[in-house]
Amino acid sequence: MTQPFDTADHVPGAGSSERRSARKRRGTKVLIAVAVVVALVAIVAGGYLFNLARTFDSGTSKIDQAFPEESTRPKKTDTAMNILVMGSDSRGATESDAASGTPTNQRADTLMLMHIPADRKNIYTISVMRDLWVDIPGHGEAKINAALALGGTPQMVQTIESVFQQRIDHVAMIDFEGFKGLTDALGGVSVNIKVPFTSDALPGQSFAPGQHTFDGTQALAFVRERHAYADGDYQRVRNQQEFLRAIIKKSIASQTLSNPITINNMVGAVSPFVTVDKSLDSGAVAGLAFELKDIRAQNTVMFTLPTGGIGTSTDGQSIVLTDSNAIHDISAAMASDTLGEYVAANKLENGN
């Protein structure tokens, strides 16, 4: 089936040897960090919470240089929190390259910007299409996921900050293996499939519309799939959001929260596959969890950043065009702490 997107991302100066097959992309890595934060949010039990946070702290890797030069960044003007969560299609040594700002073959395959308002009563997660055509500071126009390859984590943060004119407070990079472990630690997760598909990753397996309970391997195939759909990445993003809702729902269900073994297994399974900025340590995680203690599934809102549709760059790439008005309005709503009102007025929330 013909897809409306390039499967190989173009990075200025990168040769064809750096391209990766679609089968190897790690689109679901981004889900783990969100799920971990939300799971911890609901577990406020004195020393137990602190111990969980310490497990998260000791298990995760830290990015020493996650942010760009301070003079290039928006100023912090409120107590809202913005967390950039990204998954990439490379592992191992390139992780340190990305963190240090060194150009690398690593790309941000999936991007989500999590906005937590000052009152901590909701969590808004904005999915950003990886092929969105934007200005990469210092490099010119390119697909937004090229920022990681061009200048590591600091370049990606600077790019997102320049698009939204909002300061990023924390960064998380995810490896897909932790996502599988999280799903299995929960004993499987039930998802309502709205668009049927035959999996590329699981030969011979097809999934009809309706409720399905996935183990880690099946869940990974579900949220990575895009070739089965006419609109490719758009449906994949919707699937990722649908699965994330299911993860959140089960993570904060009473039977999960009342089982210390399940909770410990969740945090232990995912932590080794998460890399975060060095300020997102056990103290910060425990503090955020306490602030978000009343969050429930209905308080988590997910939507995709509106775009201007599909286009072609001057060098022939298939790209996603920006909707400058939508970006301006969303940025303004974040700055004024009224994102909830904007999302409701424009009916942006996906899947509801």
Side-chain angles (χ1 to χ4, degrees):
M1 181 179 296
T2 301
Q3 298 299 319
F5 297 96
D6 263 339
T7 58
D9 300 309
H10 175 77
V11 177
S16 60
S17 63
E18 293 180 351
R19 296 172 185 265
R20 296 290 185 268
S21 68
R23 188 177 301 276
K24 293 182 180 179
R25 296 192 181 279
R26 305 294 194 252
T28 58
K29 301 170 196 172
V30 69
L31 300 179
I32 307 169
V34 183
V36 166
V37 171
V38 174
L40 287 171
V41 156
I43 310 160
V44 183
Y48 182 53
L49 173 63
F50 182 70
N51 288 336
L52 283 172
R54 289 190 63 181
T55 298
F56 175 80
D57 193 20
S58 62
T60 56
S61 299
K62 299 298 187 289
I63 305 171
D64 286 332
Q65 302 293 331
F67 302 103
E69 173 63 37
E70 183 61 32
S71 62
T72 68
R73 308 188 65 199
K75 300 300 181 184
K76 187 70 175 177
T77 59
D78 56 30
T79 57
M81 182 177 292
N82 297 312
I83 303 174
L84 175 62
V85 188
M86 54 184 167
S88 64
D89 62 6
S90 296
R91 298 174 62 188
T94 54
E95 243 180 37
S96 60
D97 292 337
S100 67
T102 304
T104 171
N105 67 348
Q106 196 172 29
R107 295 175 178 83
D109 189 63
T110 303
L111 291 169
M112 288 185 182
L113 177 58
M114 182 189 300
H115 176 74
I116 306 174
D119 64 10
R120 303 297 194 257
K121 292 183 178 179
N122 296 281
I123 298 175
Y124 299 94
T125 302
I126 308 170
S127 294
V128 179
M129 300 301 294
R130 64 181 185 172
D131 289 341
L132 192 69
W133 193 250
V134 301
D135 181 67
I136 308 293
H139 296 275
E141 293 185 314
K143 295 178 181 180
I144 197 168
N145 72 339
L148 195 63
L150 291 168
T153 306
Q155 183 76 71
M156 178 58 79
V157 171
Q158 187 179 13
T159 300
I160 292 292
E161 289 184 337
S162 68
V163 169
F164 289 95
Q165 293 300 304
Q166 296 296 308
R167 189 179 180 93
I168 301 300
D169 299 290
H170 294 295
V171 178
M173 299 177 65
I174 316 300
D175 184 283
F176 79 110
E177 289 295 334
F179 168 73
K180 292 174 61 177
L182 176 62
T183 305
D184 289 333
L186 283 167
V189 175
S190 295
V191 177
N192 180 28
I193 293 181
K194 298 178 180 178
V195 180
F197 72 99
T198 298
S199 174
D200 275 354
L202 303 174
Q205 291 198 34
S206 297
F207 299 88
Q211 287 290 130
H212 294 262
T213 298
F214 290 147
D215 61 21
T217 299
Q218 293 169 324
L220 187 61
F222 172 62
V223 293
R224 288 179 65 186
E225 184 62 54
R226 66 191 184 97
H227 291 291
Y229 309 115
D231 57 357
D233 271 0
Y234 282 96
Q235 184 59 43
R236 185 175 73 158
V237 167
R238 288 190 287 268
N239 287 351
Q240 290 172 352
Q241 293 169 341
E242 182 68 25
F243 194 79
L244 180 52
R245 289 188 186 92
I247 283 280
I248 292 170
K249 183 177 180 179
K250 189 160 187 180
S251 295
I252 62 181
S254 58
Q255 61 266 37
T256 301
L257 299 184
S258 62
N259 190 332
I261 294 176
T262 298
I263 295 299
N264 191 66
N265 288 344
M266 288 169 57
V267 178
V270 73
S271 295
F273 302 96
V274 178
T275 302
V276 296
D277 68 271
K278 60 184 179 182
S279 65
L280 192 57
D281 57 13
S282 59
V285 170
L288 181 60
F290 182 78
E291 292 178 354
L292 296 172
K293 63 182 181 300
D294 296 324
I295 289 288
R296 295 296 180 265
Q298 62 268 26
N299 303 121
T300 61
V301 177
M302 281 164 270
F303 65 96
T304 303
L305 180 69
T307 70
I310 306 302
T312 304
S313 66
T314 56
D315 60 354
Q317 298 180 72
S318 178
I319 61 175
V320 175
L321 304 173
T322 59
D323 182 336
S324 57
N325 290 332
I327 291 174
H328 174 272
D329 292 345
I330 289 171
S331 299
M334 292 171 69
S336 61
D337 219 7
T338 58
L339 187 57
E341 289 89 334
Y342 178 82
V343 170
N346 291 274
K347 300 179 180 180
L348 290 182
E349 186 172 6
N350 296 337
N352 293 322

